[in-house]
Amino acid sequence: MDVAFMESVWWVFAQLFDKNLVYKGFKVMPYSTGLKTPLSNSEAKGTYKNVSDPEAMVTFPVIGDQDNAAFVAWTTTPWTLPCNLALCVNPEFVYLKVRNKHNGRVYVVAEPRLSALPSFANAAADTKKAKGGDSAAADSYQVLEKFDGASLVGKKYEPLFDYFSDFSSEAFRVVADDYVTDDSGTGIVHCAPAFGEDDYRVCLENKIIEQGEGLVVAVDEDGLFTERITHFFGRYVKDADKDIIEAVKVKGRFVKTGSFTHEYPFCPRSDTPLLNRALPSWYASCFV
């Protein structure tokens, strides 16, 4: 409450502002729809519960691929799929292009995650899978090509929904980052920069989005889809999961779904699920 101190802070801020070093951007934070406020990471850390969420594995057809291949991504937050803007691979991983021997569909996944794809339904495959081996999936797919993740960077794909088709010519392409792991999913991460800290960082670094106020956050402070997401406008995001999965099925972009039990953060005061959500923040540019 020292006036001289406050005036000195405002003077410093004015100097930064006059030099165009102050800008408005976003930070993805744990957000409580029950309280309509963000929480610090430390507040959110101790509030996890074991819950069962729907998981979805969906396709993103590669534009111009001679085999009509599609990237396959896995998510436990299907409500973020309408806001997809990019796919992320690990540049150090080996990826496979494979053809399903049962239905002829061609997929691209990380080599260690081939076993995550569904094997075609026959008794022999089911028996092998039950014994705990990966041979059921391996027997179900013919390997067409093998390549490193870095070679996929820049490839364009068909968006899953058209809600952001006018967003940017830089969107809907493959980027790379080492935060992608091979211990779950497909080795390809679907990126919705408004709802994931790494998603936001990677999309910003690769110019999918720009620094500043241009990011579209299509979920309001109550956790409801905004009017940009026309088919699910006004729906609470987690309640819309099943209908979004059904919409993916109708589009023919579905690989498989199921239930996934994992630890998920809840608001310690309202006991409502926390959402990762981009919130407007002020920043000062720094130059070294």
Side-chain angles (χ1 to χ4, degrees):
M1 300 298 294
D2 183 270
V3 174
F5 175 78
M6 288 190 288
E7 288 180 343
S8 66
V9 172
W10 279 112
W11 178 86
V12 170
F13 184 85
Q15 299 300 306
L16 293 170
F17 184 85
D18 290 342
K19 295 177 181 178
N20 293 318
L21 295 178
V22 175
Y23 67 93
K24 194 174 184 180
F26 286 89
K27 182 175 179 62
V28 178
M29 301 181 67
Y31 182 83
S32 170
T33 57
L35 303 180
K36 299 183 182 180
T37 185
L39 275 65
S40 68
N41 287 326
S42 59
E43 285 181 290
K45 276 183 180 178
T47 60
Y48 282 77
K49 298 181 181 181
N50 278 322
V51 298
S52 179
D53 278 325
E55 59 175 339
M57 195 174 284
V58 300
T59 62
F60 298 84
V62 185
I63 293 175
D65 186 83
Q66 61 182 3
D67 297 308
N68 295 318
F71 298 115
V72 180
W74 173 79
T75 182
T76 57
T77 54
W79 63 268
T80 64
L81 289 171
C83 301
N84 169 267
L85 291 181
L87 295 175
C88 190
V89 300
N90 191 309
E92 303 299 323
F93 288 175
V94 173
Y95 286 79
L96 301 178
K97 180 194 286 188
V98 297
R99 176 179 283 117
N100 187 304
K101 296 177 183 178
H102 179 63
N103 59 26
R105 298 181 73 177
V106 180
Y107 301 135
V108 176
V109 297
E111 185 175 36
R113 301 307 303 162
L114 177 61
S115 60
L117 292 178
S119 57
F120 56 83
N122 60 47
D126 289 343
T127 299
K128 291 176 181 178
K129 188 173 182 180
K131 290 179 179 178
D134 294 338
S135 55
D139 290 346
S140 300
Y141 294 91
Q142 173 192 3
V143 176
L144 302 179
E145 196 173 346
K146 183 182 292 191
F147 32 75
D148 59 59
S151 67
L152 297 174
V153 174
K155 288 188 178 295
K156 301 283 284 186
Y157 63 88
E158 295 178 17
L160 190 58
F161 295 95
D162 61 3
Y163 305 126
F164 287 84
S165 58
D166 61 345
F167 181 73
S168 167
S169 60
E170 295 295 323
F172 311 118
R173 61 182 171 89
V174 177
V175 297
D177 192 88
D178 59 10
Y179 89 93
V180 179
T181 65
D182 61 1
D183 57 358
S184 62
T186 64
I188 300 175
V189 175
H190 122 76
C191 296
F195 307 112
E197 191 172 0
D198 282 317
D199 296 18
Y200 181 84
R201 174 183 60 80
V202 167
C203 285
L204 187 62
E205 290 173 355
N206 288 276
K207 304 187 185 305
I208 303 293
I209 58 176
E210 295 183 359
Q211 194 174 66
E213 300 180 61
L215 181 66
V216 177
V217 183
V219 173
D220 68 16
E221 61 183 11
D222 293 311
L224 310 181
F225 281 116
T226 67
E227 58 187 9
R228 188 179 187 106
I229 312 300
T230 53
H231 298 90
F232 306 102
F233 171 49
R235 298 277 305 278
Y236 175 62
V237 293
K238 293 185 76 66
D239 289 344
D241 275 341
K242 291 182 179 179
D243 289 336
I244 290 171
I245 291 173
E246 187 59 34
V248 172
K249 289 181 181 179
V250 171
K251 290 173 177 289
R253 304 280 292 273
F254 169 78
V255 178
K256 71 173 184 179
T257 189
S259 296
F260 184 76
T261 301
H262 62 152
E263 289 190 331
Y264 191 90
F266 281 70
C267 175
R269 291 183 287 280
S270 66
D271 199 36
T272 53
L274 296 177
L275 305 179
N276 280 329
R277 181 170 175 261
L279 299 169
S281 304
W282 288 98
Y283 296 91
S285 297
C286 298
F287 299 94
V288 178

